[in-house]
Amino acid sequence: MSATAAMVERPPPRTRGWPRPRIVGYALVCLWIAFGLGIVGYLVFAWNPVFFAKYAPAYLSGLGVTLSLVAISMVLGAVLSMPVAYGRMSRNRILSGLAYCYVYFFRGTPLLVQTFLIYYGLGSFRPELQMIGLWDFFKDAFNCGVFAFALNTAAYQAEILRGAIESVHRGQWEGAASLGLHKLQTLRKIILPQALIVALRPYGNELILMVKASAIVAIITVYDLMGNAKLAFANSFDIQAYIWVALVYLVMVELLRHAIEWIERRITIHLKR
């Protein structure tokens, strides 16, 4: 045996028994399982068919409002995020500074505060809004919620889009230019398809966060899923009102998570070896 081989350190001995991290991990898992079984057991033994028959239609209606709010906000936010992302990547200091201030404000302040500023703040300017014909839009709480959510998610989506585009190697731009492709053609046919693969997970996380944050609009009198749960609890004082709505949110999040994973597997199949 050579001296070099003798100097090679052997791997540490394999851990046997039950170390403390493993014990703590199993204990936490068992605790969560017990908590979940407790919730299920409570719902089984405290099943109230009268409550379910009375408030289930309201929950379904609220679910439709929640899905509409999130879908419209995400689409409007995606459209608005494009010029904001362009501004963030621009070499023009004024344009870049304005885009930075927009992103900084909406990412640095709570969504609840932004919703209040739009719903209650713009209500203070009713005469001015009536003069320009916007009062009919902003007097509706649902419209105010959509407006606030769209502005908020646009800031996050702009940063996601900017980071995804900048992650594509500069050589892709240079190669497309050598082929005589216009910048818009390069962006649409070469850069964006690669950038969207990188951005899919962050976009999915943003969508999930928007679904959970949509409960905020219940505070401004929008009868979404959470708003109807508050109404059901106020009338019945039954904690099931909140347990059922939590389960509905959990199911929505899980469905979205699995859908995003399925899309990611489909669009990255060419990268797997």
Side-chain angles (χ1 to χ4, degrees):
M1 182 182 294
S2 63
T4 305
M7 294 175 61
V8 175
E9 296 183 1
R10 294 183 177 181
R14 193 172 184 179
T15 304
R16 297 182 178 180
W18 287 76
R20 182 178 299 176
R22 180 181 294 181
I23 295 174
V24 173
Y26 276 100
L28 290 176
V29 170
C30 292
L31 182 63
W32 279 110
I33 292 175
F35 177 77
L37 292 176
I39 294 294
V40 172
Y42 173 80
L43 292 176
V44 170
F45 290 106
W47 171 255
N48 187 351
V50 176
F51 175 89
F52 192 81
K54 184 177 180 180
Y55 296 107
Y59 274 46
L60 291 175
S61 175
L63 177 61
V65 174
T66 296
L67 295 178
S68 300
L69 174 70
V70 174
I72 297 173
S73 301
M74 288 295 294
V75 172
L76 293 178
V79 174
L80 181 58
S81 69
M82 295 178 187
V84 176
Y86 175 79
R88 291 282 284 124
M89 294 185 292
S90 175
R91 294 181 180 179
N92 187 317
R93 291 188 176 182
I94 297 177
L95 190 61
S96 177
L98 291 175
Y100 175 80
C101 291
Y102 175 87
V103 172
Y104 183 83
F105 175 80
F106 282 99
R107 293 181 68 193
T109 56
L111 179 57
L112 178 62
V113 175
Q114 298 165 18
T115 306
F116 279 3
L117 285 174
I118 292 172
Y119 181 68
Y120 295 110
L122 292 180
S124 303
F125 300 95
R126 178 175 179 176
E128 291 79 4
L129 292 175
Q130 287 177 331
M131 289 178 60
I132 58 178
L134 291 178
W135 175 246
D136 289 336
F137 178 84
F138 285 107
K139 71 179 182 181
D140 191 324
F142 179 83
N143 294 338
C144 291
V146 168
F147 189 69
F149 277 52
L151 293 178
N152 179 272
T153 189
Y156 286 93
Q157 291 188 48
E159 287 298 283
I160 293 171
L161 183 59
R162 179 182 69 88
I165 292 176
E166 291 181 347
S167 70
V168 180
H169 195 272
R170 185 66 186 174
Q172 302 285 339
W173 290 94
E174 296 171 354
S178 67
L179 295 174
L181 294 179
H182 191 270
K183 285 188 176 182
L184 289 178
Q185 291 178 317
T186 304
L187 183 66
R188 181 171 59 89
K189 296 183 178 181
I190 298 175
I191 304 301
L192 283 181
Q194 299 178 68
L196 290 179
I197 295 176
V198 178
L200 178 61
R201 283 282 181 171
Y203 269 124
N205 291 337
E206 175 64 14
L207 176 58
I208 290 173
L209 289 174
M210 287 293 291
V211 169
K212 294 188 290 186
S214 63
I216 289 176
V217 296
I219 304 177
I220 59 171
T221 69
V222 176
Y223 286 101
D224 65 328
L225 189 58
M226 187 62 184
N228 282 287
K230 289 178 59 179
L231 184 62
F233 181 78
N235 293 331
S236 64
F237 293 99
D238 192 339
I239 195 60
Q240 287 189 70
Y242 290 125
I243 295 178
W244 283 115
V245 77
L247 293 177
V248 173
Y249 278 113
L250 182 61
V251 170
M252 285 195 293
V253 168
E254 282 299 303
L255 290 176
L256 287 173
R257 184 176 67 85
H258 285 289
I260 293 164
E261 290 179 352
W262 180 81
I263 295 173
E264 186 179 34
R265 287 195 301 268
R266 294 289 295 178
I267 66 176
T268 59
I269 192 171
H270 63 286
L271 300 177
K272 297 179 181 180
R273 297 181 179 178

